[in-house]
Amino acid sequence: MTVSAMLGAIVVGLVAGALGHLAVPARDAIPRWLAPVLGVTAALLATVVAVLSGVDVRGLGLPGFIAQAGCASLTVILAATGAGRRSGG
């Protein structure tokens, strides 16, 4: 995995994590710092899965960006809604 792929995943994860946190009605269910952390982790995981699948991440392009952003947003949304259900919110 290249440094540029990792930096791209971090940026995508931070943005998607923050936007995913704003999109959830139960956004107070998880701390503000946790959403970007989950987003970055999920975006990096999507990049690792792409590398293990044989995808050349140097030219990941739009499909890779969509996969990273989708994984990051979905992870934050699922974490916030799951925590919101447990806390009664």
Side-chain angles (χ1 to χ4, degrees):
M1 183 174 355
T2 63
V3 174
S4 63
M6 287 177 38
L7 289 175
I10 290 170
V11 169
V12 168
L14 287 172
V15 172
L19 292 176
H21 190 259
L22 291 174
V24 178
R27 71 179 76 140
D28 292 332
I30 61 173
R32 288 183 194 254
W33 62 267
L34 187 57
V37 169
L38 287 173
V40 168
T41 304
L44 285 171
L45 185 62
T47 305
V48 168
V49 169
V51 168
L52 292 176
S53 299
V55 176
D56 183 18
V57 296
R58 290 178 299 205
L60 205 52
L62 187 61
F65 171 77
I66 291 172
Q68 289 175 342
C71 286
S73 299
L74 186 62
T75 301
V76 172
I77 289 170
L78 288 175
T81 55
R85 275 195 208 119
R86 279 196 303 272
S87 67

